[in-house]
């Protein structure tokens, strides 16, 4: 795993934004996997800024997000779909028909997971996938457990994960759904290139385990060690340097 360390979270966002913008500019067609949460906010801010200053076109980009809450409609303010519309899709001009998203209000959630896998495959798989990491080592909503899921699936959210998502629901953890839909471990590991962002001292313990520990379902992110093209984009606090 390649490890890149920058001074602070805004610097991580700027450097990763610049790296991704170069890829968007260079490729006529690009399939991007994208995360939500607090960590990627500086990345999306940087991409909005670079798009304006460079006149970057996103016309050839198709996106797939990692996950979505069950029971939250795409246009509800707490949905990850609404987050992405606000932070990236709207401002840089990615049209809805280039956006792949799980629908947590689908009548048949298992069928929705299968539809998503098929849509990613039909797009030719993800060229570049940006990931965050939970303080419990989750990627997407692949939570630590005795066994992990290979494919897109329904995931029960752990208490730490619900607590860290309370901000999306007016700060009230009881309003955070207990379940989500998430890409699985194989879905993630099939991306051609993986860029994992982690910022802040709270992520330092899990980053240390990811870097130095073995591969274990107790730390789903540790499976990234099996992938040949992963880089960690860290600030000094998360890298603990
Ligand atoms: P965060 O979430 O960016 O809000 O810390 C990361 C994650 O849970 O993947």
């Amino acid at each position: 795993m390649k490890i890149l360390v920058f001074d602070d979270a805004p610097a991580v966002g700027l450097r990763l934004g610049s790296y991704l913008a170069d890829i968007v500019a260079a490729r006529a067609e690009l399939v991007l996997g994208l995360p939500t949460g607090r960590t990627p906010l500086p990345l999306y801010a940087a991409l909005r800024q670079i798009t304006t200053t460079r006149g970057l076109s996103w016309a050839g980009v198709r996106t797939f997000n990692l996950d979505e809450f069950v029971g939250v409609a795409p246009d509800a303010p707490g949905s990850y779909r609404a987050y992405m519309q606000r932070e990236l899709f709207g401002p840089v001009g990615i049209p809805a028909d280039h956006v792949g998203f799980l629908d947590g209000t689908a009548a048949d959630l298992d069928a929705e997971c299968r539809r998503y896998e098929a849509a990613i495959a039909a797009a030719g798989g993800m060229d570049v996938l940006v990931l965050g990491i939970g303080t419990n080592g989750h990627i997407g909503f692949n939570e630590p457990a005795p066994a992990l899921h290979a494919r897109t699936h329904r995931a029960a959210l752990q208490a730490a994960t619900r607590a860290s998502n309370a901000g999306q629901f007016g700060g009230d953890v009881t309003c955070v759904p207990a379940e989500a839909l998430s890409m699985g471990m194989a879905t993630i590991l099939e991306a051609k290139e993986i860029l994992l962002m982690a910022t802040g001292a709270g992520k330092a313990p899990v980053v240390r385990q990811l870097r130095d520990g073995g591969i274990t379902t107790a730390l789903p992110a540790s499976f990234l060690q099996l992938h040949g093209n992963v880089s960690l984009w860290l600030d000094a606090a998360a890298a603990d340097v």
Side-chain angles (χ1 to χ4, degrees):
M1 275 188 294
K2 195 160 109 187
I3 300 183
L4 301 151
V5 183
F6 304 98
D7 286 348
D8 51 23
V12 175
L14 276 174
R15 296 294 291 274
L16 183 53
S18 166
Y19 179 80
L20 277 176
D22 287 346
I23 297 175
V24 170
R27 304 273 298 259
E29 288 188 358
L30 181 70
V31 180
L32 261 186
L34 294 170
T36 49
R38 283 179 299 273
T39 310
L41 290 172
L43 167 66
Y44 295 140
L47 286 171
R48 293 193 299 271
Q49 190 195 351
I50 293 168
T51 298
T52 306
T53 53
R54 287 202 213 164
L56 187 65
S57 168
W58 291 74
V61 176
R62 302 191 55 188
T63 69
F64 289 95
N65 263 77
L66 281 162
D67 41 30
E68 181 60 285
F69 294 110
V70 165
V72 180
D75 57 356
S79 75
Y80 282 151
R81 179 67 180 81
Y83 166 113
M84 289 304 303
Q85 193 62 33
R86 209 164 49 232
E87 296 296 329
L88 188 71
F89 301 157
V92 306
I94 300 177
D97 62 349
H98 281 196
V99 170
F101 232 95
L102 284 156
D103 180 354
T105 56
D108 181 340
L109 292 171
D110 294 323
E112 173 63 4
C113 293
R114 290 193 296 274
R115 177 198 68 79
Y116 204 56
E117 285 287 334
I120 295 169
M126 292 177 283
D127 296 303
V128 179
L129 171 60
V130 183
L131 291 178
I133 182 170
T135 51
N136 64 0
H138 74 202
I139 46 177
F141 279 133
N142 295 278
E143 301 276 39
L148 305 177
H149 294 262
R151 294 294 164 191
T152 302
H153 60 282
R154 298 172 70 155
L157 304 186
Q158 294 183 358
T161 301
R162 292 181 74 202
S164 77
N165 277 281
Q168 297 245 134
F169 295 89
D172 184 352
V173 70
T174 64
C175 293
V176 181
E179 212 186 353
L181 304 181
S182 175
M183 287 185 193
M185 296 300 295
T187 327
I188 289 171
L189 289 168
E190 284 168 5
K192 296 176 188 75
E193 178 174 9
I194 297 178
L195 311 167
L196 182 141
M197 305 177 76
T199 54
K203 297 285 170 73
V206 83
V207 166
R208 195 173 314 117
Q209 286 178 61
L210 170 59
R211 207 177 42 205
D212 304 333
I215 298 168
T216 167
T217 65
L219 190 85
S222 64
F223 281 76
L224 297 175
Q225 294 171 19
L226 296 169
H227 193 284
N229 191 3
V230 176
S231 49
L232 308 188
W233 295 68
L234 310 175
D235 68 354
D240 201 14
V241 291

